Amino acid sequence: MERFEIVDLLPLHRQMTLVIFRDPNTQKCEVQILPVSLEIAELQNIQAMLKIPSEPRDDAATVSVEVDEMLSRKIMDWCEVRGILPEQLARAFVCFCGEPENADIVKSWVRREFVRSRIDIEKLPSVTREELEQDVDAVMERVENGESPILIRSVGTTDLLLFGWEDYLRRFPTLYTPEEIAEIEAACLEMKETEAE
């Protein structure tokens, strides 16, 4: 990326600027956060500060997102109808993810994608939503006996995964903080005690 063009700039909190730039030859976009305020920096200074990607190093972290062709086409069409650039959509998404009030939504996205990437959905035992509604206890018993996770299928709506708690923690120990795990386990214990009364 010897030649590049800045396609968007976004001032962030704490005197930082997010830069989206693009290689005009390959149309590949990169995003970098610079420790300088947009208000006090000239465009030339920002260009000079950008670290133009080259060969990846051992100490470099690479983040990539794969978008299938159909989804990419839908995104481009969506942007074209609204008269915006894909880079502007990326900026809006970064802004959304950076807002504290959206933290729970972003966490749920990360957790869902993390789970999806680590489980072969097609090999899981499954029940339909109707079967679950007809006999919840039987399905829960299967989970408690180690058949976890079970895929809950439903035509026309999102499929769900039903985990046993111990299995979920074993598979994804980093998705919750120790404090969150303690709160969840305390709530489950309280529920069991209430049901036993």
Side-chain angles (χ1 to χ4, degrees), residues 70-83:
M70 184 179 296
L71 178 57
S72 178
R73 197 177 306 115
K74 286 181 179 179
I75 291 172
M76 297 297 286
D77 291 344
W78 190 91
C79 289
E80 185 176 350
V81 167
R82 288 157 181 80

Side-chain angles (χ1 to χ4, degrees), residues 180-194:
E180 288 173 326
I181 292 173
E183 287 179 13
I184 293 170
E185 291 181 337
C188 291
L189 181 60
E190 183 178 343
M191 190 182 301
K192 285 182 180 179
E193 291 174 348
T194 302

Side-chain angles (χ1 to χ4, degrees), residues 1-6 21-23 30 32 46-55 57:
M1 263 196 179
E2 293 181 0
R3 297 179 58 229
F4 63 95
E5 56 189 9
I6 292 176
F21 60 97
R22 174 175 55 201
D23 181 344
E30 297 283 341
Q32 289 183 24
I46 289 180
Q47 287 179 318
M49 293 180 67
L50 288 173
K51 298 176 182 176
I52 308 306
S54 55
E55 293 298 319
R57 307 183 313 273

Side-chain angles (χ1 to χ4, degrees), residues 112-139:
R112 186 169 57 212
E113 291 307 313
F114 188 63
V115 167
R116 185 181 299 169
S117 68
R118 297 190 60 175
I119 294 176
D120 188 347
I121 300 294
E122 298 307 317
K123 293 183 179 178
L124 294 179
S126 65
V127 296
T128 65
R129 195 176 296 255
E130 292 74 21
E131 290 171 337
L132 175 64
E133 291 171 353
Q134 289 170 5
D135 199 345
V136 174
D137 291 338
V139 177

Side-chain angles (χ1 to χ4, degrees), residues 28-175:
K28 179 180 178 183
C29 287
E30 297 283 341
V31 175
Q32 289 183 24
I33 296 177
L34 303 180
V36 61
S37 169
L38 182 58
E39 296 175 359
I40 62 173
E42 296 179 358
L43 185 59
Q44 287 182 336
N45 292 338
I46 289 180
Q47 287 179 318
M49 293 180 67
L50 288 173
K51 298 176 182 176
I52 308 306
S54 55
E55 293 298 319
R57 307 183 313 273
D58 291 339
D59 62 344
T62 301
V63 178
S64 62
V65 178
E66 293 184 9
V67 180
D68 65 49
E69 187 177 346
M70 184 179 296
L71 178 57
S72 178
R73 197 177 306 115
K74 286 181 179 179
I75 291 172
M76 297 297 286
D77 291 344
W78 190 91
C79 289
E80 185 176 350
V81 167
R82 288 157 181 80
I84 65 173
L85 297 171
E87 291 84 6
Q88 292 172 313
L89 180 62
R91 167 184 168 150
F93 178 73
V94 170
C95 289
F96 180 88
C97 293
E99 292 294 336
E101 60 266 27
N102 299 326
D104 288 342
I105 298 172
V106 176
K107 281 182 183 178
S108 71
W109 289 342
V110 172
R111 287 170 178 157
R112 186 169 57 212
E113 291 307 313
F114 188 63
V115 167
R116 185 181 299 169
S117 68
R118 297 190 60 175
I119 294 176
D120 188 347
I121 300 294
E122 298 307 317
K123 293 183 179 178
L124 294 179
S126 65
V127 296
T128 65
R129 195 176 296 255
E130 292 74 21
E131 290 171 337
L132 175 64
E133 291 171 353
Q134 289 170 5
D135 199 345
V136 174
D137 291 338
V139 177
M140 293 303 297
E141 187 175 340
R142 288 172 61 183
V143 172
E144 290 172 2
N145 290 334
E147 203 171 342
S148 171
I150 290 179
L151 180 65
I152 303 170
R153 293 193 180 277
S154 180
V155 177
T157 59
T158 305
D159 291 342
L160 302 173
L161 289 175
L162 179 60
F163 284 90
W165 176 239
E166 291 78 11
D167 178 43
Y168 188 83
L169 276 186
R170 180 182 59 79
R171 290 175 184 267
F172 314 108
T174 60
L175 292 183

